[in-house]
Amino acid sequence: MSCFERFVRFISETAWIMIGLTGKSFCDSAHDGFYLVVRNASQFSITKGLGKIFVIFGQLFITVFATVIGYMIITNNERYSDEIYSPAIPTLMFAIISYTVGSLFMNIYGMGA
């Protein structure tokens, strides 16, 4: 049942993309999209693999960059550095929030890749 669900999801995804590109009906687009993927399977797999790598590095970059900027703000700004005993907990919160934001942004890219 899980295999069938993934197949239907794959057909539906390619059909909606083809509808957006060609403007044909759902069934015609599903047919065209399926055979497009079958004819170009190696190119699609390489593109999908590179897209996943790009998403992972994007999430990592957003998380690290935002966490470092947050850490620098709370340690270099006297207003925050005087009130905070240890920057570990706020930095951890920066990391969690920035990972969540990075995942949301990069998942949007991951749908298209």
Side-chain angles (χ1 to χ4, degrees):
M1 189 67 174
S2 174
C3 180
F4 179 71
E5 181 182 348
R6 286 186 302 207
F7 177 73
V8 170
R9 189 176 306 231
F10 169 75
I11 292 295
S12 178
E13 182 179 316
T14 56
W16 287 114
I17 291 170
M18 290 302 288
I19 287 171
L21 292 173
T22 63
K24 292 182 180 178
S25 69
F26 181 82
C27 291
D28 290 339
S29 295
H31 178 267
D32 293 346
F34 178 75
Y35 284 107
L36 178 71
V37 171
V38 168
R39 285 191 309 265
N40 301 302
S42 63
Q43 293 171 346
F44 275 91
S45 63
I46 290 170
T47 303
K48 193 139 188 111
L50 290 175
K52 285 183 181 182
I53 291 170
F54 183 76
V55 167
I56 290 169
F57 280 127
Q59 286 176 338
L60 183 67
F61 176 76
I62 291 170
T63 302
V64 169
F65 186 72
T67 303
V68 168
I69 294 296
Y71 176 78
M72 290 172 55
I73 289 172
I74 61 175
T75 56
N76 294 332
N77 192 341
E78 290 181 20
R79 177 179 174 202
Y80 298 119
S81 62
D82 292 340
E83 294 178 14
I84 296 174
Y85 176 71
S86 172
I89 299 298
T91 304
L92 179 66
M93 294 306 295
F94 279 126
I96 291 170
I97 292 170
S98 63
Y99 177 76
T100 303
V101 171
S103 294
L104 292 173
F105 277 103
M106 295 311 292
N107 281 337
I108 292 171
Y109 173 77
M111 282 189 229

